[in-house]
Amino acid sequence: MTGDKDLTDARRRTLLARHGEALELFTDRVHAVRGDQWEAPTPCTEWNVRELVNHLVVEQLWVPSMLDGATVEDVGEVFDGDQLGEDPVAAWDEAASAAREAFHARGALTRTVHLSYGSSSAHAYCAQMIADLVVHAWDLSRAIGAEEHPSKALVDFTRHEVEPYAGALTESGLFAAPVEPPPGADSWQRLLAQLGREP
């Protein structure tokens, strides 16, 4: 990702547009989950649908605190455990709205955030959040039988964001080892395979 001095108005608008699209993509999938699908397995073998959605809810809940300068230690265990309660869809909608508002705040993308692995620019954090939303939207889509292919704009953005450090994600244990993409795979399917998913 580029430095703060390179965060032009055009780059800021693009980031916020892609972030909004990624939130809408995941929102659409959450709203499509049937009542009998919350315990269904997902491609993330350690999570069922409810646990996957909870993971993304927690990530969105962290955003306002991170952009306000809090550290992981400051936040502590506030967002540990189940955050979905009795209405997972409403929990997602509320968390997504809070994250969107936080990133849209004046000057938010030029701030420094203090993540678990160290300090980072807020616009790099936003880009990582976009990629995470898009990839996990595929996981949720596969789990519930929804459309699996994001828009070209989101595919291009996610590939550009993830490919430079995709190998490190595998080494960290956050993603499974790469798999062989199917014959004739498009760029999105190749990225999924690189991240250990079977398109």
Side-chain angles (χ1 to χ4, degrees):
M1 300 303 296
T2 58
D4 291 344
K5 61 183 174 56
D6 298 318
L7 185 64
T8 63
D9 285 344
R11 172 65 175 161
R12 177 182 175 277
R13 287 194 298 271
T14 297
L15 268 175
L16 292 178
R18 295 294 89 80
H19 182 253
E21 291 169 21
L23 281 175
E24 289 167 9
L25 175 67
F26 200 82
T27 296
D28 179 77
R29 300 306 184 266
V30 172
H31 281 251
V33 179
R34 299 192 313 266
D36 62 347
Q37 291 181 315
W38 288 102
E39 303 302 321
T42 75
C44 298
T45 55
E46 70 273 26
W47 293 327
N48 61 26
V49 167
R50 182 183 176 93
E51 290 163 339
L52 174 64
V53 173
N54 186 69
H55 171 69
L56 271 295
V57 165
V58 168
E59 288 202 333
Q60 309 320 304
L61 290 174
W62 274 89
V63 173
S65 296
M66 293 293 96
L67 292 178
D68 281 344
T71 65
V72 173
E73 292 74 19
D74 291 334
V75 177
E77 301 177 355
V78 172
F79 302 128
D80 285 2
D82 181 81
Q83 299 292 322
L84 301 187
E86 296 182 0
D87 193 340
V89 175
W92 164 257
D93 288 346
E94 183 176 347
S97 177
R100 185 196 306 266
E101 182 178 347
F103 275 123
H104 275 264
R106 184 177 182 86
L109 292 177
T110 63
R111 299 172 189 168
T112 297
V113 294
H114 307 289
L115 306 175
S116 58
Y117 56 82
S119 296
S120 173
S121 65
H123 56 86
Y125 174 45
C126 184
Q128 293 163 17
M129 292 289 286
I130 294 165
D132 201 59
L133 281 161
V134 173
V135 173
H136 283 313
W138 180 87
D139 295 327
L140 185 53
S141 297
R142 174 61 61 94
I144 67 173
E147 170 58 44
E148 297 179 4
H149 208 294
S151 70
K152 183 179 185 303
L154 284 177
V155 169
D156 290 347
F157 184 95
T158 303
R159 287 190 64 214
H160 182 268
E161 169 62 21
V162 171
E163 285 191 333
Y165 55 76
L169 291 175
T170 301
E171 293 172 6
S172 71
L174 295 174
F175 288 87
V179 299
E180 188 69 24
D186 60 21
S187 60
W188 175 236
Q189 292 172 317
R190 288 196 297 272
L191 177 61
L192 289 170
Q194 190 176 8
L195 296 176
R197 288 157 167 82
E198 297 186 7

